Amino acid sequence: MKTILIVDDTKSELDLMVHYVTQAGYTIITAQDGEEALEKTFANKPDAIITDWMMPKMGGLDILRQLKKNPETAIIPVVACTAKDRDVDRMWAKKQGVKAYVTKPCTKEQLISALEEAMG
């Protein structure tokens, strides 16, 4: 069973994503900010990460940059799950290495489809 790290600083959003991904049959790890996400990534090596883009301290882009610096974590696919819905945001995220992009609020189908796309 694949393990997914879900990162969001809004508890209701985090809970909803956990619900969707758990229903799809994945094992879940959660983090509520970027620093916690990095700690849990290095400790657990998840199969993929779903992260909010805008969070205090360290956002999704910062998480992605840190992961790309380490060969052990550079290959972990990242899904951006964010309220940013402009084409330029999507293009920038892809340029930075995001494998899939979904905007909030999202349905279970949209999130799982993005996750599966990211994991290839």
Side-chain angles (χ1 to χ4, degrees):
M1 186 175 298
K2 293 189 184 271
T3 300
I4 311 302
L5 172 63
I6 302 175
V7 189
D8 201 303
D9 61 317
T10 305
K11 183 158 175 29
S12 59
E13 294 282 348
L14 183 63
D15 290 347
L16 186 61
M17 287 188 284
V18 165
H19 178 71
Y20 289 165
V21 177
T22 301
Q23 279 190 327
Y26 296 98
T27 300
I28 305 300
I29 302 167
T30 62
Q32 291 190 289
D33 63 51
E35 292 171 357
E36 182 183 8
L38 288 176
E39 289 171 16
K40 290 189 174 182
T41 298
F42 289 112
N44 299 288
K45 303 293 189 296
D47 295 290
I49 298 169
I50 299 171
T51 185
D52 186 14
W53 216 236
M54 298 177 292
M55 295 180 288
K57 296 183 189 175
M58 179 184 289
L61 182 57
D62 299 316
I63 294 169
L64 185 61
R65 286 180 182 143
Q66 292 299 315
L67 296 176
K68 295 296 179 192
K69 289 180 182 179
N70 185 318
E72 288 183 35
T73 57
I75 61 168
I76 298 173
V78 175
V79 176
C81 185
T82 179
K84 290 177 145 287
D85 194 21
R86 299 179 313 167
D87 287 341
V88 67
D89 298 319
R90 292 174 186 275
M91 288 187 308
W92 180 247
K94 293 280 186 178
K95 192 171 190 165
Q96 297 300 310
V98 166
K99 296 295 183 191
Y101 194 100
V102 64
T103 55
K104 296 177 185 177
C106 66
T107 65
K108 175 184 173 185
E109 292 74 22
Q110 289 168 325
L111 185 62
I112 299 308
S113 175
L115 178 60
E116 291 172 352
E117 174 189 337
M119 292 192 296

